[in-house]
Amino acid sequence: MIALVIVSFCLILIFSLPYLLTDKSKYDRTVFFIFYFSIFVICLLEGGGVNLPSPILGLDELLKWLHLSY
Amino acid sequence: MKVGSSVNHDKITASQFMFAIVCYVESFALLTAFSLTVTHQDTWIAFLLGMVGALPMIFINLYLIKQYPNQNLIQINRVVYGKPVGSLISVLYCWYFLTLCSLNLRDTGDFLRMSVMSETPSIFIKIPFLVLCSYAVLKGLKIIVRYSTVFAYIGFFALILTTILVSRRMNYHNLFPVLTTSPVKLLQCINMVMTIPFGTSIFLMIAPAVQDQKKVKKSFLTGFFVGALVILIVVIRDIVVLGKISEELVLPSYETMCLSGVTETFQRLDILYVILLVILEYFKISLLFYATSVAISQLLSLKSYKPLVLVIGALILVYSFIIFPSSIVHLAVTQTTIPVLWLLFEYIFPFVTFLCTKLRARKEVPAIKS
């Protein structure tokens, strides 16, 4: 699964290159790489079997605690 | 980045916009189990009342589209609330669209795994599906909505065909007794219906792309009513055909289509359901994917949304695995918490935006007079 994540992200970088090269803005490239590496880490953790928290389940617990659910 | 500028310059026709709404709303007709288990044979009443309940918000959305021409939801938030609060609300909307997209991807993967590809791991179903959606998003809104007319007509054809074919199995007594559901359950279902199938805030992201802005109101309303009518017919059909069993099934529309057949050679039209689900879910996921990409790009003041598409696709994929541990939890949360949470995005925020816009308009009129 980790191998799949690494291969997928290599492919994502290859296919995103044309859009990054046409866009000459340094800011845009910085934003792209911040997203790229953050999501790469998340996918690696999920692929490695780490139980990542779900925001919806957290909100579900919060709303139930506030008695704001059916 | 100026408030008026956009990361995308695609234009679509009013007709494409209308059919986009039809396809989006119609896609929920295939996944009505969440409501049938709550209100049973009164579900059609909940859908009817939900349709009526959704109308004020549609008119509010139309008012915002008219007041802020050529500006999408992110730009409207920035104008109305200012940069700090507007950006915060826009971040919440980005999360909302991302969550909707991941939920739909999960539903599609789970359904295909359950019905036709039981031995295939869901990741190998979701990846090709998402690659196709990414391709459509990279090509632009014009490409995503180009075939919405065809998809809508395929949906109508499938609905008419299967309704005719199951007509001999219909028992109208399954609709009775009427209104035996408790008011709380009925309100719960109305809330679910108003926020899940009839939640149309996503269209604030694509309404500025309509070429002729004067036709937006008519297209929006027509698309909504046609899509809502399709869902209503599907719900009534499933109740009269399946009866009490519809409350126990995960996919009642699928089971109804399984029952439709004429002779021994013309059987098992459930494959039609699978094709229809894949087509409509592809459209819905592409639209939500596009809205998420454009919203994030606009929020971060990027020149174009395209560099982030594939990376956001990866995020949607991993989020679809994280979001719920199982289908049972998904169904339970959809019935109890999600209707309340989605009220914030579909009703509360648009209503507050509407009030702020009205107050600003009133302040500007005395300023002009003086």
Side-chain angles (χ1 to χ4, degrees):
Chain A
M1 196 55 78
I2 291 179
L4 179 66
V5 170
I6 293 170
V7 167
S8 303
F9 273 79
C10 290
L11 287 171
I12 286 174
L13 188 60
I14 291 167
F15 284 108
S16 298
L17 271 174
Y19 301 102
L20 289 171
L21 291 171
T22 50
D23 189 355
K24 294 190 170 69
S25 165
K26 199 176 171 186
Y27 171 72
D28 288 13
R29 286 179 195 168
T30 310
V31 168
F32 170 81
F33 282 110
I34 289 171
F35 267 83
Y36 182 83
F37 286 113
S38 313
I39 295 165
F40 179 58
V41 166
I42 292 170
C43 290
L44 269 181
L45 288 171
E46 178 66 21
V50 174
N51 226 1
L52 295 171
S54 165
I56 285 269
L57 291 179
L59 287 167
D60 178 46
E61 292 297 320
L62 176 66
L63 288 175
K64 280 182 174 145
W65 181 70
L66 292 169
H67 301 287
L68 285 174
S69 68
Y70 291 103
Chain B
M1 184 179 152
K2 289 181 190 172
V3 166
S5 61
S6 170
V7 294
N8 182 44
H9 303 284
D10 274 348
K11 288 290 175 193
I12 60 173
T13 64
S15 162
Q16 286 173 331
F17 182 62
M18 182 188 81
F19 280 108
I21 297 172
V22 172
C23 284
Y24 184 85
V25 176
E26 200 179 77
S27 64
F28 290 100
L30 302 168
L31 300 161
T32 51
F34 66 93
S35 51
L36 280 164
T37 48
V38 175
T39 40
H40 317 302
Q41 76 274 10
D42 292 331
T43 304
W44 66 277
I45 297 173
F47 268 86
L48 208 55
L49 292 173
M51 216 161 91
V52 171
L55 280 175
M57 280 308 130
I58 288 175
F59 283 114
I60 283 177
N61 286 335
L62 286 168
Y63 174 81
L64 292 174
I65 291 167
K66 192 179 171 190
Q67 285 299 114
Y68 302 101
N70 302 317
Q71 291 189 345
N72 62 27
L73 183 60
I74 306 301
Q75 291 164 320
I76 291 171
N77 286 339
R78 206 169 268 189
V79 167
V80 171
Y81 299 107
K83 201 171 174 184
V85 179
S87 298
L88 178 64
I89 293 173
S90 298
V91 165
L92 294 174
Y93 267 105
C94 289
W95 172 79
Y96 173 57
F97 295 142
L98 181 74
T99 306
L100 281 181
C101 196
S102 300
L103 281 171
N104 281 288
L105 182 66
R106 193 194 169 103
D107 281 340
T108 309
D110 285 351
F111 167 72
L112 287 173
R113 194 156 170 262
M114 239 177 6
S115 60
V116 291
M117 295 187 212
S118 49
E119 304 294 325
T120 310
S122 62
I123 189 166
F124 295 112
I125 297 171
K126 291 177 187 174
I127 287 177
F129 196 88
L130 208 51
V131 165
L132 191 64
C133 294
S134 305
Y135 179 78
V137 172
L138 281 168
K139 288 296 170 189
L141 181 64
K142 227 169 160 176
I143 302 301
I144 296 169
V145 300
R146 178 175 285 176
Y147 295 102
S148 56
T149 315
V150 175
F151 295 161
Y153 280 114
I154 290 172
F156 297 151
F157 169 72
L159 171 69
I160 293 165
L161 178 68
T162 48
T163 306
I164 292 169
L165 292 175
V166 296
S167 55
R168 59 197 170 96
R169 293 180 190 270
M170 285 182 183
N171 179 6
Y172 295 97
H173 294 291
N174 289 333
L175 287 171
F176 300 107
V178 177
L179 286 175
T180 50
T181 318
S182 70
V184 173
K185 291 278 180 194
L186 193 63
L187 188 67
Q188 180 185 352
C189 194
I190 292 169
N191 188 357
M192 280 196 288
V193 166
M194 274 166 56
T195 51
I196 298 174
F198 298 151
T200 50
S201 61
I202 171 114
F203 293 103
L204 285 172
M205 290 300 296
I206 70 167
V210 179
Q211 266 166 348
D212 188 353
Q213 286 286 304
K214 289 176 194 166
K215 292 183 183 174
V216 167
K217 183 177 178 180
K218 189 181 169 189
S219 306
F220 204 129
L221 289 170
T222 311
F224 171 74
F225 278 119
V226 171
L229 191 64
V230 167
I231 295 185
L232 192 62
I233 292 171
V234 166
V235 165
I236 293 173
R237 184 199 65 189
D238 291 346
I239 295 170
V240 297
V241 170
L242 298 170
K244 285 275 176 200
I245 304 169
S246 61
E247 299 153 25
E248 314 296 332
L249 297 168
V250 176
L251 297 164
S253 297
Y254 178 65
E255 300 302 330
T256 306
M257 287 201 181
C258 286
L259 291 172
S260 59
V262 180
T263 61
E264 279 184 19
T265 48
F266 199 58
Q267 290 288 332
R268 297 303 303 268
L269 286 175
D270 47 309
I271 192 67
L272 197 66
Y273 177 90
V274 176
I275 294 167
L276 200 57
L277 185 86
V278 170
I279 287 171
L280 291 175
E281 284 290 334
Y282 152 76
F283 178 82
K284 190 164 58 170
I285 290 169
S286 299
L287 201 63
L288 286 163
F289 191 169
Y290 171 82
T292 310
S293 306
V294 167
I296 291 174
S297 307
Q298 203 126 47
L299 193 62
L300 297 171
S301 305
L302 301 179
K303 286 198 180 66
S304 169
Y305 70 94
K306 292 185 184 183
L308 285 184
V309 167
L310 295 177
V311 168
I312 291 170
L315 180 61
I316 289 168
L317 180 66
V318 75
Y319 194 21
S320 73
F321 286 103
I322 295 168
I323 200 161
F324 290 118
S326 69
S327 307
I328 307 293
V329 174
H330 181 183
L331 188 64
V333 175
T334 303
Q335 289 175 342
T336 54
T337 311
I338 280 181
V340 178
L341 194 54
W342 275 195
L343 271 178
L344 184 67
F345 299 99
E346 296 292 344
Y347 291 87
I348 296 171
F349 279 145
F351 183 66
V352 173
T353 309
F354 166 74
L355 281 179
C356 292
T357 307
K358 276 283 187 188
L359 283 168
R360 284 178 68 182
R362 276 196 184 174
K363 276 185 189 170
E364 276 166 19
V365 168
I368 291 166
K369 278 182 181 170
S370 64

